Amino acid sequence: GNTFTPTSVGTYNITATVTYNAKGFQNVTSTATVTTTITVTEPTYTFTTSTDGNGTVTPASGAASSVTVTATPNTGYEFYEWVATNGTISGSSTNNNGITTATFKPSANGATVKAYFKAKEYALTINESGATGGTFKLNDATFTSGSTVAYNTACNLVITAPNDYVIDTVDETTVDAESKTLTFTMPAAAKTINVVYKEAGECQPSC
């Protein structure tokens, strides 16, 4: 007899005509038409989600043929990438609030999808007054004022006054030295450091 094999997901209406001989009678046949509907769906598989610790992802787990996963970064971070096993990710997009959604299609039980995030970068500005031309080193590398630094970076910033000058104050704190080392952690926002120079040998008003 004939067989029917669906080739894709969907609903199929099947009609068959059956002809048979009436038992015990010669040259007597009967014909019947049979109609049925079958629905073919994608298989469902179990899955779990996780992150690198710098955000959250939902849902945490489930069973589905296709599911929307949502990644939300922690403060100071932004979405970086999805990594899936036993499944595929498609249609990933990030909205203005930094929330990323995508479609995950597991292909076997125990499928996983992990969201990775990266630290945002913020401007670090050193405002000079009294003189210009000081030099800056951040974590032993030459630094240009206004460059960006990744959130949560442990910073060791060395400010050196230009020739014939010393640092008078840094953020209104008296220094009175040729260089000053500042240690801080980069916040989740732009940071400005105010440096005032004075001529070497110049007396403070309190002299």
Side-chain angles (χ1 to χ4, degrees):
N2 296 327
T3 60
F4 171 71
T5 303
T7 58
S8 63
V9 172
T11 300
Y12 298 87
N13 293 317
I14 302 172
T15 300
T17 300
V18 181
T19 301
Y20 60 94
N21 291 321
K23 186 177 181 181
F25 296 89
Q26 293 183 350
N27 301 319
V28 177
T29 61
S30 178
T31 301
T33 300
V34 178
T35 300
T36 187
T37 299
I38 62 171
T39 300
V40 179
T41 59
E42 293 185 12
T44 61
Y45 300 105
T46 59
F47 68 90
T48 57
T49 64
S50 62
T51 77
D52 62 2
N54 295 314
T56 60
V57 63
T58 57
S61 61
S65 58
S66 177
V67 62
T68 297
V69 287
T70 302
T72 304
N74 292 341
T75 299
Y77 290 88
E78 59 188 352
F79 178 80
Y80 179 60
E81 67 175 348
W82 299 103
V83 174
T85 59
N86 293 328
T88 58
I89 285 282
S90 63
S92 186
S93 63
T94 302
N95 66 19
N96 292 334
N97 295 321
I99 298 173
T100 300
T101 58
T103 299
F104 177 53
K105 293 177 69 69
S107 58
N109 284 325
T112 65
V113 59
K114 186 172 184 177
Y116 286 85
F117 303 87
K118 64 179 180 179
K120 288 184 176 180
E121 300 216 349
Y122 300 92
L124 174 60
T125 303
I126 299 103
N127 283 336
E128 299 175 290
S129 60
T132 58
T135 58
F136 318 115
K137 280 197 170 184
L138 180 65
N139 297 338
D140 297 323
T142 299
F143 182 78
T144 301
S145 175
S147 298
T148 58
V149 179
Y151 165 66
N152 213 30
T153 297
C155 298
N156 191 66
L157 177 67
V158 180
I159 303 172
T160 302
N163 291 337
D164 301 323
Y165 286 83
V166 295
I167 300 171
D168 185 8
T169 63
V170 174
D171 288 337
E172 300 183 352
T173 299
T174 300
V175 175
D176 199 21
E178 292 183 359
S179 66
K180 173 65 175 177
T181 300
L182 303 176
T183 301
F184 57 92
T185 299
M186 191 65 189
K191 181 177 177 65
T192 299
I193 297 171
N194 297 299
V195 181
V196 178
Y197 302 118
K198 66 178 182 178
E199 293 184 8
E202 181 182 337
C203 188
Q204 297 275 0
S206 59
C207 290

